[in-house]
Amino acid sequence: MSQAVAGDRLSGDRTVLRVLAGEAQSRPPAWMMRQAGRYLPEYREVRARAGSFLDLCYNPDFATEVTLQPIRRFGFEASILFSDILVIPDALGQNVRFVEGEGPRLDAMAGRAEFERLREAGDPAIFTHLEPVFETVRRLRAQLPHETTLLGFCGAPWTVASYMIGGRGTPDLAPARALARHDTALVEALIDRLVTVQTEYLVRQLEAGADAVQIFESHAGALPDARGAGENPGETVGEETVNEVAESALPESASAGSNDRDALTRWSLQPIARMIAGVRARVPGAKIIVFARGSGLDGHARVMPETAADAVGVDWSVDLKALRDRVPATTVTQGNIHPETLIEGGTALDAAVDGVLAATEGLPHIFNLGHGITPQTPIAHVERMLARLRG
């Protein structure tokens, strides 16, 4: 893709792209993580017809429909591809399934034997397997309103690796952290493969029509030096929300890898930086958001300088005003409304919206939650939130 094509994405009336280019808006554009989901009755109807959750992800008819539903209903300024971070291990040949009421289950990668059974990074079968995702992106760009920014996404290498090693979300990601201590070279090889494959995955999403992409580092908070003073929010993968990461800071003795000076940099931010550099080598000017959930005030402040991302997604545990005071005024932020505040609604929700607007006044910001919307969220509360935002 040429520099000209990438640059063209920044012109016109896609306000999310204008913010990603550093342009503050009088009212920030909005979208929600997991905005296509079970809180919507129209989603539940399609989900029932689709079969399994992965069937929904891999069927362009169904995936396009559920991606468009929240745009039709709420008029968000951005639409995010409906898929899941675990399509990557699935494409690599690991057995992935979603258990109703429990979430994702994978055949755990306990050691080298399981790693050797994965597809090599250059295996064309990986992207043949993922072709339905790219077809969904093409259909979405053709059907979305011109002014709506289309976002692609993937998981960060550490987050995806932790699922591949543990076979599920586990307390403190103990299997991944233990394997990183006992066979560091193996985990590094897995991270390297994920960097290569997911760089190509994002490039192909951009080539198919995505305007920008987001990298979800959902498990940053499990790394020992990632925590700030805030709590670590629960994890959302597939359709399930599970609170499985401990809330207290991990001791340095629990560090992933025996000689880490900085586990957040080594296992999270450096691999993400390699992905971003790889994407931009192929798609100059590509706009990329990084959401390092649970990394605390310090971790959030480090995302853009250490990865060269265009924006940092802010989880609900971070004081948004404190972050904005700490980082340069040119920093692009996104998110921070607590999903539970959205469930509560009323004056608490109004105050939260006002707080975000006050903390980001005159600064480049994309309005979002600080984590994915949950199934029990009343639709009327989303409507109230957007009415407050839009004045």
Side-chain angles (χ1 to χ4, degrees):
M1 184 175 292
S2 68
Q3 175 74 58
V5 173
D8 287 347
R9 290 192 168 113
L10 299 181
S11 62
D13 51 3
R14 293 179 190 166
T15 54
V16 170
L17 286 182
R18 286 160 59 182
V19 174
L20 289 174
E23 181 182 329
Q25 305 292 302
S26 57
R27 289 281 167 167
W31 67 281
M32 296 189 305
M33 288 182 282
R34 202 153 294 282
Q35 63 190 24
R38 290 181 296 165
Y39 74 106
L40 293 176
E42 56 266 42
Y43 171 90
R44 296 194 296 270
E45 188 275 328
V46 175
R47 175 70 176 83
R49 289 191 285 123
S52 74
F53 179 73
L54 283 176
D55 288 337
L56 178 56
C57 293
Y58 289 133
N59 184 311
D61 291 336
F62 291 146
T64 299
E65 170 58 23
V66 297
T67 303
L68 292 171
Q69 287 169 351
I71 304 303
R72 298 189 194 114
R73 184 183 277 272
F74 302 116
F76 289 118
E77 283 79 15
S79 177
I80 187 164
L81 164 73
F82 185 88
S83 185
D84 195 87
I85 65 173
L86 297 183
V87 298
I88 294 297
D90 190 48
L92 286 170
Q94 190 172 24
N95 183 20
V96 179
R97 62 270 183 203
F98 286 81
V99 179
E100 192 69 29
E102 297 182 17
R105 296 292 181 268
L106 301 82
D107 290 350
M109 197 196 89
R112 291 186 175 273
E114 292 84 5
F115 177 74
E116 294 300 330
R117 287 197 288 269
L118 297 175
R119 291 182 174 123
E120 295 287 343
D123 190 333
I126 295 171
F127 293 100
T128 299
H129 186 91
L130 294 168
E131 175 54 32
V133 177
F134 309 132
E135 175 59 21
T136 298
V137 174
R138 287 189 285 268
R139 294 187 187 187
L140 286 168
R141 187 63 275 169
Q143 296 182 43
L144 282 166
H146 173 75
E147 67 272 15
T148 305
T149 299
L150 175 57
L151 301 174
F153 75 95
C154 72
W158 168 252
T159 287
V160 177
S162 70
Y163 277 98
M164 295 178 73
I165 294 166
R168 57 182 295 177
T170 57
D172 297 341
L173 305 186
R177 292 165 57 246
L179 189 60
R181 283 196 303 273
H182 299 306
D183 195 342
T184 304
L186 176 59
V187 177
E188 288 175 338
L190 177 59
I191 293 287
D192 287 346
R193 188 165 303 182
L194 289 169
V195 166
T196 301
V197 170
Q198 295 195 134
T199 297
E200 180 68 21
Y201 183 52
L202 292 182
V203 166
R204 294 195 186 205
Q205 289 182 46
L206 290 162
E207 290 177 340
D211 296 304
V213 292
Q214 177 158 313
I215 299 173
F216 286 86
E217 183 63 288
S218 303
H219 288 165
L223 292 165
D225 50 81
R227 307 290 179 82
E231 299 172 78
N232 189 45
E235 162 63 353
T236 301
V237 177
E239 298 176 316
E240 307 304 327
T241 300
V242 289
N243 293 289
E244 295 184 311
V245 180
E247 304 231 343
S248 60
L250 302 178
E252 285 300 322
S253 61
S255 174
S258 58
N259 297 310
D260 282 356
R261 179 189 63 82
D262 185 334
L264 180 64
T265 293
R266 179 179 186 180
W267 296 107
S268 175
L269 300 181
Q270 283 183 351
I272 291 171
R274 289 163 54 200
M275 287 180 60
I276 290 174
V279 170
R280 292 193 180 130
R282 299 270 302 282
V283 187
K287 294 300 178 184
I288 302 172
I289 306 164
V290 171
F291 179 56
R293 185 186 65 87
S295 61
L297 179 62
D298 179 68
H300 281 71
R302 290 162 55 189
V303 164
M304 287 180 62
E306 290 197 30
T307 69
D310 296 285
V312 54
V314 185
D315 76 45
W316 56 260
S317 71
V318 171
D319 183 323
L320 182 58
K321 177 65 163 59
L323 178 64
R324 292 284 357 179
D325 288 344
R326 180 167 174 171
V327 299
T330 53
T331 299
V332 180
T333 50
Q334 174 182 275
N336 202 40
I337 294 286
H338 198 314
E340 291 182 5
T341 305
L342 184 55
I343 294 172
E344 182 180 357
T347 57
L349 178 59
D350 292 346
V353 173
D354 293 347
V356 168
L357 293 177
T360 61
E361 184 177 6
L363 300 168
H365 183 75
I366 299 165
F367 192 90
N368 205 317
L369 306 183
H371 195 30
I373 187 171
T374 57
Q376 62 268 41
T377 304
I379 289 172
H381 292 188
V382 179
E383 294 169 338
R384 179 173 182 145
M385 177 182 72
L386 292 174
R388 187 80 174 187
L389 170 66
R390 293 165 176 167

